[in-house]
Amino acid sequence: MSKKTLIIGAGGVGNVVAFKCAMNSDTFGEITLASRTLSKCNAIAANVKTRTNVTLKTAQVDADLVPDLIELITTTGANIVINVALPYQDLTIMDACQHCEVDYLDTANYEHPDSAKFEYKEQWARDEEFRKTNIMGLLGSGFDPGVTNVFCAYAQKYYFDEIHTIDILDCNAGDHGYAFATNFNPEINLREVSAKGRYWENGQWIETEPMAIKQVWNYPEVGAKDSYLLYHEEMESLVKHIKGLNRIRFFMTFGESYLTHMKCLENVGMLGIKEVEHKGMKIVPMEFLATLLPDPASLGSRTKGLTNIGIFAKGIKDGKEKTVYIYQVTDHEKCFKEVMSQGVSYTTGVPAMIGAKLMLEGKWQGNGVFNMEEFDPDPFMEELNKQGLPWKVMELDADATRVIV
Ligand code: NDP
């Protein structure tokens, strides 16, 4: 019986997922792209048709509403739902999938619109229901979370008996020519980077002020970049699943202009997520700011340069200390040529498609709710090489460092 795939969310990432599923239509079968704004789905479907000759179905849906989602999933007859709308919709889409007994995948953990917490608690709480219903939920199948989790599982499988420290490194050295813009949904991006920093050491979480820890990391093929410690959701599952871990941190690069703008916006209250009264109307400052900023999906044609995302891990193999750096480099302009998107949407959308492909092909299977590092990394790593995200491994001296200051 041929498969049916439902993609929800027609933003920057949804565009890439739609293209990549169409390019693998033998696996994905009949593909429907649904989102809040039907015209966005139709525009993507038209581009996909022109470039791949695959016809996508399109639909309008408000993914905040479980009954509407149930109707959509039932009508499409989907075998899997790929959720690339916003993290606010994770729980409603999971609940609809459970009702319809259909597998689920996303790329970002649930967030409540009124509180920027990044945790898996509410999604993990659905594990039992998913088990009982015999369906699978794959959480965080983007790049980070996503590929970074798979890199950790791969390091654990082939390079270490015990991993002691992991630094997840996310470098975007792309330039879109704007003084200030975000590479994925502005609201989600700014909530993430303006939150307090947090890392895990010796069994506990240590909190820092936002952007309080800076290191200059030397990224292969890119060079030295200012990198700031942030909290990032994949750490929450990795501390549970990676053996012998003493410390895990996450660093992301930011340029001067981005940080100066962000500080200024924060100082004047534009990053607020609570409603304020404006001329008799209620507005959320962060939502208003997102309206003013360039749509991330529109950055594709302007962005030049590379991304480099990877994991820098230290540990023990056969009684000896060692260091391994696993990373992936993406060229923004190449992504635009292939699927009309910049590199950040590309590096998120391709792994979302790969996760779904492995589920549909039965290579990653299970009942319940899973994080990426719980599965055999091999088929995913193979697909990364085939589907546009080739990766590299550097084996380094035990005391190697890529930190310059
Ligand atoms: P965009 O804002 O570009 O796209 C989000 C899409 O979701 C929009 O098309 C929007 O529709 C749609 N949407 C929002 N609310 C609803 C709703 N209630 N019902 C139906 N559709 C809705 O975001 P991105 O494409 O940049 O990001 C998509 C997801 O990917 C986010 O969850 C983000 O956190 C995640 N991400 C994960 C990364 C990773 O590496 N793991 C990296 C980058 C992003 P409309 O346009 O009509 O409003």
Side-chain angles (χ1 to χ4, degrees), residues 343-356:
V344 175
S345 303
Y346 189 89
T347 54
T348 309
V350 173
M353 179 280 290
I354 294 174

PDB file of all heavy atoms in Angstrom, residues 343-356:
ATOM      1  N   GLY A 343      20.596  28.264   4.323  1.00  0.00           N
ATOM      2  CA  GLY A 343      21.165  27.073   4.952  1.00  0.00           C
ATOM      3  C   GLY A 343      20.532  26.659   6.266  1.00  0.00           C
ATOM      4  O   GLY A 343      20.529  25.465   6.591  1.00  0.00           O
ATOM      5  N   VAL A 344      20.008  27.623   7.048  1.00  0.00           N
ATOM      6  CA  VAL A 344      19.461  27.215   8.355  1.00  0.00           C
ATOM      7  C   VAL A 344      18.160  26.426   8.163  1.00  0.00           C
ATOM      8  O   VAL A 344      17.948  25.397   8.810  1.00  0.00           O
ATOM      9  CB  VAL A 344      19.272  28.441   9.288  1.00  0.00           C
ATOM     10  CG1 VAL A 344      18.591  28.032  10.578  1.00  0.00           C
ATOM     11  CG2 VAL A 344      20.632  29.075   9.581  1.00  0.00           C
ATOM     12  N   SER A 345      17.329  26.886   7.226  1.00  0.00           N
ATOM     13  CA  SER A 345      16.116  26.102   6.928  1.00  0.00           C
ATOM     14  C   SER A 345      16.514  24.752   6.332  1.00  0.00           C
ATOM     15  O   SER A 345      15.903  23.712   6.643  1.00  0.00           O
ATOM     16  CB  SER A 345      15.222  26.828   5.918  1.00  0.00           C
ATOM     17  OG  SER A 345      14.874  28.102   6.387  1.00  0.00           O
ATOM     18  N   TYR A 346      17.534  24.765   5.485  1.00  0.00           N
ATOM     19  CA  TYR A 346      17.975  23.523   4.811  1.00  0.00           C
ATOM     20  C   TYR A 346      18.490  22.504   5.826  1.00  0.00           C
ATOM     21  O   TYR A 346      18.090  21.338   5.800  1.00  0.00           O
ATOM     22  CB  TYR A 346      19.083  23.865   3.800  1.00  0.00           C
ATOM     23  CG  TYR A 346      19.465  22.727   2.888  1.00  0.00           C
ATOM     24  CD1 TYR A 346      18.810  22.521   1.677  1.00  0.00           C
ATOM     25  CD2 TYR A 346      20.509  21.858   3.222  1.00  0.00           C
ATOM     26  CE1 TYR A 346      19.172  21.473   0.828  1.00  0.00           C
ATOM     27  CE2 TYR A 346      20.872  20.812   2.385  1.00  0.00           C
ATOM     28  CZ  TYR A 346      20.205  20.633   1.187  1.00  0.00           C
ATOM     29  OH  TYR A 346      20.569  19.595   0.350  1.00  0.00           O
ATOM     30  N   THR A 347      19.369  22.981   6.737  1.00  0.00           N
ATOM     31  CA  THR A 347      19.965  22.032   7.691  1.00  0.00           C
ATOM     32  C   THR A 347      18.925  21.527   8.695  1.00  0.00           C
ATOM     33  O   THR A 347      19.168  20.546   9.390  1.00  0.00           O
ATOM     34  CB  THR A 347      21.171  22.647   8.443  1.00  0.00           C
ATOM     35  OG1 THR A 347      20.756  23.869   9.054  1.00  0.00           O
ATOM     36  CG2 THR A 347      22.343  22.888   7.525  1.00  0.00           C
ATOM     37  N   THR A 348      17.781  22.179   8.795  1.00  0.00           N
ATOM     38  CA  THR A 348      16.694  21.685   9.652  1.00  0.00           C
ATOM     39  C   THR A 348      15.754  20.772   8.858  1.00  0.00           C
ATOM     40  O   THR A 348      15.348  19.711   9.341  1.00  0.00           O
ATOM     41  CB  THR A 348      15.871  22.864  10.217  1.00  0.00           C
ATOM     42  OG1 THR A 348      16.757  23.807  10.792  1.00  0.00           O
ATOM     43  CG2 THR A 348      14.875  22.388  11.257  1.00  0.00           C
ATOM     44  N   GLY A 349      15.422  21.189   7.635  1.00  0.00           N
ATOM     45  CA  GLY A 349      14.424  20.465   6.842  1.00  0.00           C
ATOM     46  C   GLY A 349      14.923  19.119   6.338  1.00  0.00           C
ATOM     47  O   GLY A 349      14.156  18.148   6.287  1.00  0.00           O
ATOM     48  N   VAL A 350      16.200  19.042   5.966  1.00  0.00           N
ATOM     49  CA  VAL A 350      16.722  17.764   5.450  1.00  0.00           C
ATOM     50  C   VAL A 350      16.669  16.680   6.541  1.00  0.00           C
ATOM     51  O   VAL A 350      16.155  15.577   6.298  1.00  0.00           O
ATOM     52  CB  VAL A 350      18.142  17.941   4.852  1.00  0.00           C
ATOM     53  CG1 VAL A 350      18.749  16.591   4.472  1.00  0.00           C
ATOM     54  CG2 VAL A 350      18.089  18.857   3.636  1.00  0.00           C
ATOM     55  N   PRO A 351      17.162  16.948   7.770  1.00  0.00           N
ATOM     56  CA  PRO A 351      17.055  15.912   8.812  1.00  0.00           C
ATOM     57  C   PRO A 351      15.612  15.562   9.177  1.00  0.00           C
ATOM     58  O   PRO A 351      15.329  14.418   9.554  1.00  0.00           O
ATOM     59  CB  PRO A 351      17.759  16.524  10.024  1.00  0.00           C
ATOM     60  CG  PRO A 351      18.606  17.613   9.480  1.00  0.00           C
ATOM     61  CD  PRO A 351      17.938  18.112   8.237  1.00  0.00           C
ATOM     62  N   ALA A 352      14.694  16.529   9.055  1.00  0.00           N
ATOM     63  CA  ALA A 352      13.279  16.216   9.329  1.00  0.00           C
ATOM     64  C   ALA A 352      12.806  15.186   8.304  1.00  0.00           C
ATOM     65  O   ALA A 352      12.150  14.187   8.647  1.00  0.00           O
ATOM     66  CB  ALA A 352      12.426  17.472   9.282  1.00  0.00           C
ATOM     67  N   MET A 353      13.160  15.422   7.040  1.00  0.00           N
ATOM     68  CA  MET A 353      12.778  14.457   5.998  1.00  0.00           C
ATOM     69  C   MET A 353      13.446  13.098   6.266  1.00  0.00           C
ATOM     70  O   MET A 353      12.795  12.042   6.143  1.00  0.00           O
ATOM     71  CB  MET A 353      13.192  15.007   4.621  1.00  0.00           C
ATOM     72  CG  MET A 353      12.875  14.107   3.450  1.00  0.00           C
ATOM     73  SD  MET A 353      14.053  12.769   3.210  1.00  0.00           S
ATOM     74  CE  MET A 353      15.497  13.653   2.637  1.00  0.00           C
ATOM     75  N   ILE A 354      14.743  13.125   6.650  1.00  0.00           N
ATOM     76  CA  ILE A 354      15.452  11.839   6.852  1.00  0.00           C
ATOM     77  C   ILE A 354      14.811  11.048   8.005  1.00  0.00           C
ATOM     78  O   ILE A 354      14.579   9.836   7.889  1.00  0.00           O
ATOM     79  CB  ILE A 354      16.961  12.071   7.122  1.00  0.00           C
ATOM     80  CG1 ILE A 354      17.645  12.654   5.878  1.00  0.00           C
ATOM     81  CG2 ILE A 354      17.636  10.758   7.545  1.00  0.00           C
ATOM     82  CD1 ILE A 354      19.108  13.047   6.089  1.00  0.00           C
ATOM     83  N   GLY A 355      14.506  11.725   9.106  1.00  0.00           N
ATOM     84  CA  GLY A 355      13.877  11.046  10.248  1.00  0.00           C
ATOM     85  C   GLY A 355      12.582  10.368   9.800  1.00  0.00           C
ATOM     86  O   GLY A 355      12.318   9.195  10.105  1.00  0.00           O
ATOM     87  N   ALA A 356      11.780  11.119   9.033  1.00  0.00           N
ATOM     88  CA  ALA A 356      10.490  10.583   8.567  1.00  0.00           C
ATOM     89  C   ALA A 356      10.719   9.420   7.603  1.00  0.00           C
ATOM     90  O   ALA A 356       9.983   8.418   7.623  1.00  0.00           O
ATOM     91  CB  ALA A 356       9.681  11.687   7.896  1.00  0.00           C
TER      92      ALA A 356
END
